[in-house]
Amino acid sequence: MSRQGARGVDLKKVSSELFTLTYGSLVAQLVKDYESNEEVNKQLDKMGYNIGIRLIEDFLARSTVGRCNDFRETADAIAKHGFKMYLGITPAITNWSAAGDEFSLIFDNNPLIDFVELPENHNDLNYSNILCGVLRGALEMVQMEVDVKFAQDQLKGDNVTEMRLKFIKRLEDALPAGED
């Protein structure tokens, strides 16, 4: 096969578009398979969680990010390194709570929603909910229990996409039953 035909083609752009379309097919199949949008949202979160518990190992191996000392450092690692590494975007970190245990990630551009329009009967579908599960799973593997949800969504007419992360508690390392 000649390489001449591939000149001028941005392979990152092609890979990004292929990923976006594949994800869209996955969501479309879930919508067909499940009765309600709420159940689709749960399945996307569950899939994301399973991805997150595995992805954190790759992230820690490939990045130069060390142990985070607080939730603010964790927010920086997520936004500036994690999203950049895997989705090629850097969301803004804003809206910190007074206690410092909650913040928002603001996406001007969510690559998962390229080429997507939600049908009217799916307004309560959180199309990118897989991202909530990824963050929940990854952070659980580094002993942080968090609540992650979408506060705004461009697919639903908002100007930006906003994910809200709330620190619940630090998890303790636990040995499996019977091991000391």
Side-chain angles (χ1 to χ4, degrees):
M1 186 168 158
S2 173
R3 296 199 67 154
Q4 290 178 336
R7 288 187 189 173
V9 174
D10 184 359
L11 293 180
K12 274 196 176 246
K13 179 78 170 156
V14 170
S15 293
S16 170
E17 289 178 357
L18 178 62
F19 173 71
T20 300
L21 293 171
T22 303
Y23 181 72
S25 296
L26 169 76
V27 174
Q29 188 61 49
L30 288 172
V31 167
K32 287 179 187 174
D33 290 347
Y34 291 95
E35 297 289 321
S36 70
N37 291 329
E38 182 179 331
E39 190 59 35
V40 174
N41 291 339
K42 286 180 187 175
Q43 290 301 315
L44 288 170
D45 183 76
K46 183 178 175 182
M47 292 168 123
Y49 177 84
N50 289 327
I51 292 169
I53 62 176
R54 289 166 181 80
L55 196 64
I56 189 67
E57 290 181 33
D58 181 66
F59 173 75
L60 293 172
R62 292 176 51 199
S63 74
T64 58
V65 176
R67 178 175 286 281
C68 297
N69 295 315
D70 60 23
F71 203 44
R72 286 188 185 272
E73 287 181 16
T74 302
D76 277 349
I78 291 167
K80 295 178 182 169
H81 300 285
F83 276 99
K84 183 74 169 170
M85 185 181 293
Y86 295 106
L87 292 177
I89 59 172
T90 305
I93 305 166
T94 62
N95 301 331
W96 278 97
S97 66
D101 64 348
E102 193 171 3
F103 66 92
S104 292
L105 293 173
I106 305 289
F107 303 85
D108 292 327
N109 177 28
N110 177 355
L112 293 181
I113 64 171
D114 290 345
F115 319 116
V116 176
E117 289 182 25
L118 282 182
E120 286 192 28
N121 59 334
H122 293 288
N123 286 335
D124 57 339
L125 175 67
N126 292 326
Y127 183 84
S128 301
N129 214 41
I130 198 166
L131 296 176
C132 294
V134 168
L135 291 176
R136 234 177 15 87
L139 291 173
E140 188 173 300
M141 292 296 103
V142 292
Q143 281 71 47
M144 297 179 88
E145 184 179 335
V146 295
D147 179 47
V148 186
K149 63 184 176 209
F150 281 96
Q152 295 184 72
D153 193 340
Q154 289 169 316
L155 280 179
K156 297 177 181 177
D158 296 317
N159 292 331
V160 296
T161 297
E162 176 184 0
M163 290 179 78
R164 195 83 183 135
L165 283 81
K166 180 172 178 53
F167 178 79
I168 305 296
K169 67 180 179 179
R170 176 150 306 275
L171 301 171
E172 300 297 323
D173 284 330
L175 292 173
E179 292 186 25
D180 292 340

